[in-house]
Amino acid sequence: MDDEESSPAVLFGLRQELPGNLTDDFCEIHIPLHSAGAWDIDGARSFLHYILPRLQLQLAVIFLLTQSLHLLLRRFHMPRILSELLAGIILGPTVLGQIPNFQKALFPQEGDIYINLLGKIGFIFFIFLSGVKMDPKTVMRTGVKAWTIGVVASAFPVSIGLGFSQIAERVIHRYRWPTCRNIVGIQNLYAFPVIASMLVDLKIMNSELGRLALASGLISDFFSGLAISSIALYIIGKYSFAKAVTAQAFILTIGLVLLIIFIGRPISLWIIQKTPEGKPVTRVYIILMSLVVLVVVVLTDNVGLHYQYGPFLLGLVVPDGPPLGSTLVDRLETLISGLFTPLLITYCGMKVNLVEIYDLNFMMWIWCIVCLFLGLKLLAIFCPAVMCKVPVKDAAALAIIMSTQGVVQMSFYYTNFVNQTFDGETFSILNTMVLIQAAASHLVVKLLYDDSRMYTGYQKRDIQHTPLNSELRVVSCAHRIDDVLAVRKVFEASFPTKESPLSVYALHLVELVGRATPLLIDHQLGQKSSNVTRTQKMIEVLYAYEQQYLGLVSMQQFTSMSLTKFMHCDICTLAFDKSASLIILPFHRKWNHQGKLMLDSSVLRVININVLENAPCSVSILVDRHKIRRMSPLSSVYNVGLAFFGGTDDREALAYARRMANSPGVHLSVVRFVPWDSYAGVSQWDAVLDAEILKETRMQGAHQDNIVYKEERVKDGAETALLIRAMEESFELIIVGRRHCDDMPQLLGLSEWTDLPELGPVGDMLAASELNKPVSVLVVQNQIVKKK
């Protein structure tokens, strides 16, 4: 005993005092926690014998294997859950567990409790954050289509499941009845967090299909959970000995719900009131909310409910979005979703044993039950979706998305496994089904649904093909008030008239933080944004412009609250729905009054690139330098210059410039850059179209004093750059096309120095960060028409 007390296991361990019969009062158990490391002169034990070093090594192995698998499988569009579950199966008895002493050394049974505990904590906060991101009001705001699909999808499988359980009990052994009932119940559940995660993985959350899946999934989640819980209470209540327990559980559940609503909600509102406007919630309140989550878990477990329901309900009563919801998601999301929640999935995979399966008859029953109810769910979603006039392929994709399984179903499987309702074989087969279904659903949806095709236009939607005496429809996007002020100046130069009115669809872009469901707010319907202060200022600026040109300008304003990686979907969808001819995007760089760069956002740049690739009409990027002070006095004439090299984008830029030239307050100078030597790189048809639009411009200039046309002969890109630099001194706005032929002599050598390919060589030169001239630039790309 003296040797043990002096050993590192005691010096760096924990001592537990437990009641027992070995001594008069207690017995001592020494739990080795820390290794003495280099100071362990005895060297009697491996560092794997100590709890903390072993746990750190376990986490490192799990994380390394999971990330390695994900890097490999994401090339095949596989979801992250597949890598996490596969990692567990590899580390479990199915693969590496077959190596003698592997699991005993690295994953001993007595060490399971720590990974299990971390995984459960991660899942608790994952469910809480899922509730925070959800807006319960969305259920009431969804249309008839989502309600129809959601209600039918939850009611049909549940009703079939009641009858199936009765039939199955006649052919399955009595001791398998609880297993069968629980499998049927879990198969009938719809998990909104799983649906939302899948849509993010597939990058279709903001598509029409994604919005319908979120709305229908939210309704199905609510009704299926309510139905399954009610049926479970009814079945338990049929037994006389359990009636009192059922009544008590029901009363305690109602009490817990009321406690969360009338205490959790006021706490959240109190935190919001204590937070200054525009500021994130402080760390103390985040810790307080985390503590409340853990308290609610304890209460939920003692009431008799599955421990996930309490945190989920608490998340629902927390107001989504800023300041509280967004700060909770921002502070907790990375750690919870990136480390702790995957531990639960991997841990479940480590319990999968596909080597030792004995009851093959019942395993076949499990496969039949899972496949049957998967088919019923697919049918229950597909049929009402088709009846609601959803295209057949989209309806099939919707059914697969809503029927997929993930971490929520796995948590129910694990709870039943711990409660010994499921044996090891059943648990292994069910997790294998999750693995197969997660992989198959992502692949099939990728094949069925291509969100880019929804923006495909076979008709021309550009300025060139919009007659001068017809309405011009423009979608303008803004992230800041500066963007609105800049685009207003362009609109004023566009010269709307009664014969050629201007319809503007202004889209104010707000990053979605602390919410799962993206929003498109239509301000014409009286809807308001949660970010009232910033959005309202932008709305007022554009409404003032509409009043200035009353009857000539039609203004419709929207606010899009979305994840930044999906914002381009909202922009393209709005342009497609409104049949717009042009989208105006703000540049990702901003300058201050001294001409110094004050903002360079890579996120906004990615949004612009995605819009350029997917837009259903012409696109322009507005490089705004209106803040920079002018050295010369401000003129009443707005000087616009256009650099013309040839090609479809330059023709589109010239078509817009000619519209501006109809305004007496605009002076347009068209500079055509012509090579010294003949150039045969341009197609004959392009050359004809270039000559035609330039001829029309010269004819227009012959009747208008505010249009000047001239040609400049250049040898290469160096001479072109000198002339472009000279134009910077003369104009307030320069319009250029984005794309040109790679071997065009006028631009020879400029492409090698291009930092921003989305602007083209000329636009990149004019948008250089070191340029501090008060000249704005409009880079135009003509509509990309997809071939049939």
Side-chain angles (χ1 to χ4, degrees), residues 59 63 84 114-126 332-347 407:
L59 294 177
F63 185 76
E84 294 158 359
Y114 305 106
I115 297 180
N116 181 22
L117 183 61
L118 289 175
K120 280 187 176 178
I121 291 173
F123 180 70
I124 287 166
F125 279 93
F126 171 76
L332 301 176
E333 181 86 61
T334 303
L335 184 64
I336 297 302
S337 298
L339 179 61
F340 287 153
T341 305
L343 277 180
L344 179 66
I345 301 171
T346 305
Y347 181 72
V407 64

Side-chain angles (χ1 to χ4, degrees), residues 164-177:
F164 178 83
S165 297
Q166 301 295 325
I167 298 171
E169 288 178 1
R170 298 177 184 176
V171 293
I172 295 176
H173 195 279
R174 186 181 185 88
Y175 83 95
R176 293 289 194 181
W177 289 0

